[in-house]
Amino acid sequence: MRDLGVGLGRQETPHQDQMLLLLQLSVAPQFLPHSLRVADLAANEVVEIFPLTFGEKPELRSVYLHNNRLSNTGLPPNTFHGSEAITTLSLSSNQLSYLPPSLPASLERLHLQNNLISKVPRGALSLQTQLRELYLQHNQLTDGGLDATTFSKLSSLEYLDLSHNRLATVPEGLPGTLTILHLGRNCIRQVEAVRLHRARDLRYLLLQHNELGASALPAGTLRPLRALHTLHLYGNRLERVPPALPRHLKALVMPHNRVAVLGARDLVSARTLAELNLAYNRLSSAHVHPGAFRRLRVLRSLDLAGNQLSRLPEGLPASLRFLKLQRNQLRALEPELLTGLNKLQELSLAHNRLRVGDIGPGTWHELQALQVLDLSHNELSFVPPDLPETLQELHLQANRISHVGPEAFLSTPHLRALFLR
């Protein structure tokens, strides 16, 4: 027997589109079938739900109420009474001001993003021990709207999105099962180690676009996060790489900060890094230690674009596949600084101050796997000689090249894309 569902928010045919525009629901049906399994009333104008709209539905699994006009007064406390099998509930893009009470204990996914929620009442999430995904982004949550017990009972929670709120600190009581934590676009100024000590299985910590400054991540703050894979710190006010990074960290993403110094030991604890993004900081060649990258023996991607580097960094790891150095102040390419980079596939040197005479003889010799080379927006007067045989894509636009000789591309038989505008 086929499941019975209600799909008043779905649009399947042009005729149905017109009918829905004329028959936008402002009040949910008072009675729906006892056998209901899926109810979709999304994208209406619903302001009120009745006790038996979704209540007393033992087979009900999914309820979609997003994109309506529901406030808390439109959701009675017994909205889901007797419906103890609901696993997915979407209340996003409504007008809720606090997290509704008496939500089904069976929930696995709860969508509350894009509301006006400023508070999660104490105990509102105390019974949802099967909840795996909780979406609270784009609300008005402050530290006062949460307490130490808000998330502590969610013993199955893996994904928590609190981005685009007004939090000043990392919430307390994070469950140990959490693997992904979104805290971007808040007002967080400091991360306290005690707030993270239970989240030992955390793999992705996203703190981009907060107010993290020089002392925001004291030594040891991230040490308990032994499983951390990715740390996003984009768009803060950090002046150094956070100390004592977790040993198994694979990706450190912190462009658009204020990092001006990279010391010999700043990355020493993160030897398993595969991706390092320090683009658009304040790094100059004089303040990047020659040994800063030497121990990153599995690093595949290094992004140093938009800094103040005047020469290539020393000690680049042989494991590199992708190297971005565009929008710096490079005036010369020294062959010895590219020695050993025989796995490098893409090199971006665009928007620098390079001239052909500043590219030393044999510069490209070591780059035996290079496929993409971007030398656009420099000061080159002709095509650099002896380009790598493996090259497939070459960017030379916005230079000073006025003539291309017949021998210019003899060394690049595999070239597929050439940009000379």
Side-chain angles (χ1 to χ4, degrees):
M1 183 176 177
R2 193 169 59 177
D3 293 342
L4 179 64
V6 174
L8 296 174
R10 295 181 177 173
Q11 300 178 355
E12 297 175 355
T13 67
H15 174 69
Q16 191 180 34
D17 281 357
Q18 295 170 5
M19 291 297 293
L20 285 171
L21 288 171
L22 292 171
L23 299 175
Q24 287 278 298
L25 292 177
S26 59
V27 179
Q30 291 194 39
F31 302 98
L32 289 175
H34 184 74
S35 57
L36 202 65
R37 291 177 63 91
V38 178
D40 186 349
L41 276 70
N44 278 283
E45 300 285 336
V46 176
V47 296
E48 186 175 4
I49 302 294
F50 296 97
L52 290 179
T53 303
F54 303 118
E56 306 300 336
K57 309 286 187 295
E59 300 298 320
L60 190 57
R61 297 289 189 275
S62 303
V63 178
Y64 302 100
L65 284 165
H66 50 278
N67 292 96
N68 277 287
R69 297 173 56 197
L70 283 168
S71 64
N72 289 91
T73 56
L75 281 174
N78 55 348
T79 298
F80 302 104
H81 180 75
S83 299
E84 299 172 358
I86 299 175
T87 58
T88 299
L89 174 58
S90 179
L91 288 164
S92 60
S93 300
N94 277 284
Q95 299 172 16
L96 303 174
S97 58
Y98 58 89
L99 196 141
S102 305
L103 293 174
S106 54
L107 281 179
E108 296 178 6
R109 287 169 294 278
L110 177 56
H111 292 263
L112 289 162
Q113 65 267 33
N114 293 300
N115 275 282
L116 305 170
I117 297 174
S118 60
K119 183 178 182 179
V120 179
R122 191 176 185 88
L125 293 171
S126 60
L127 300 178
Q128 285 69 33
T129 57
Q130 299 177 56
L131 192 66
R132 294 187 292 110
E133 301 172 18
L134 177 55
Y135 301 86
L136 281 164
Q137 68 269 30
H138 289 280
N139 276 289
Q140 299 178 11
L141 286 167
T142 63
D143 295 347
L146 307 174
D147 62 40
T149 67
T150 300
F151 306 113
S152 62
K153 303 295 184 182
L154 302 178
S155 55
S156 299
L157 193 65
E158 299 173 1
Y159 184 103
L160 176 59
D161 194 340
L162 290 165
S163 62
H164 295 267
N165 277 283
R166 301 174 183 176
L167 300 174
T169 60
V170 176
E172 294 182 78
L174 296 174
T177 52
L178 202 60
T179 59
I180 301 175
L181 177 59
H182 285 262
L183 289 168
R185 301 268 180 189
N186 277 282
C187 309
I188 298 172
R189 296 185 176 181
Q190 187 169 19
V191 179
E192 302 175 45
V194 68
R195 301 291 177 98
L196 296 172
H197 78 280
R198 288 184 59 196
R200 296 182 180 274
D201 290 334
L202 196 64
R203 289 180 55 79
Y204 296 88
L205 177 56
L206 311 179
L207 286 162
Q208 66 272 23
H209 292 290
N210 276 282
E211 299 177 9
L212 299 173
S215 59
L217 289 159
T221 299
L222 302 172
R223 189 172 291 130
L225 306 180
R226 297 177 182 177
L228 196 65
H229 177 285
T230 298
L231 177 60
H232 266 269
L233 295 166
Y234 184 110
N236 280 282
R237 304 170 186 171
L238 297 166
E239 297 177 4
R240 296 291 295 259
V241 170
L245 292 168
R247 290 186 178 182
H248 300 292
L249 191 68
K250 296 294 189 296
L252 176 59
V253 183
M254 49 184 306
H256 293 278
N257 275 277
R258 302 175 182 178
V259 179
V261 177
L262 196 57
R265 299 188 60 80
D266 284 358
L267 298 166
V268 70
S269 64
R271 300 184 183 187
T272 61
L273 270 183
E275 177 188 352
L276 176 59
N277 189 332
L278 289 168
Y280 299 95
N281 276 279
R282 301 177 181 179
L283 291 168
S284 63
S285 293
H287 292 102
V288 176
H289 193 278
F293 306 110
R294 289 190 192 279
R295 300 192 184 186
L296 304 181
R297 296 176 182 174
V298 296
L299 190 68
R300 293 173 59 90
S301 176
L302 176 59
D303 193 341
L304 294 170
N307 279 282
Q308 301 164 21
L309 301 174
S310 57
R311 61 195 300 263
L312 295 174
E314 295 185 46
L316 293 173
S319 56
L320 273 181
R321 265 72 164 177
F322 309 97
L323 177 58
K324 296 183 178 181
L325 289 162
Q326 66 267 29
R327 296 188 183 277
N328 274 280
Q329 299 172 13
L330 298 179
R331 294 179 178 272
L333 295 182
E334 302 159 76
E336 60 270 19
L337 297 180
L338 294 171
T339 300
L341 298 185
N342 55 12
K343 296 180 181 178
L344 192 67
Q345 297 173 11
E346 296 186 15
L347 174 59
S348 179
L349 296 165
H351 291 275
N352 278 285
R353 300 179 180 179
L354 294 170
R355 301 180 181 180
V356 173
D358 300 327
I359 302 175
T363 294
W364 316 113
H365 179 73
E366 293 285 334
L367 307 182
Q368 300 173 8
L370 195 66
Q371 297 176 16
V372 179
L373 175 60
D374 191 347
L375 287 164
S376 63
H377 297 271
N378 276 282
E379 300 174 13
L380 304 177
S381 55
F382 56 88
V383 178
D386 302 318
L387 292 170
E389 181 180 348
T390 53
L391 205 61
Q392 297 181 17
E393 184 176 319
L394 177 60
H395 294 258
L396 290 169
Q397 63 267 37
N399 275 281
R400 299 177 179 176
I401 299 172
S402 58
H403 174 73
V404 178
E407 75 290 343
F409 303 109
L410 290 179
S411 66
T412 56
H414 304 291
L415 195 65
R416 296 178 181 179
L418 174 63
F419 301 88
L420 264 171
R421 183 177 296 182

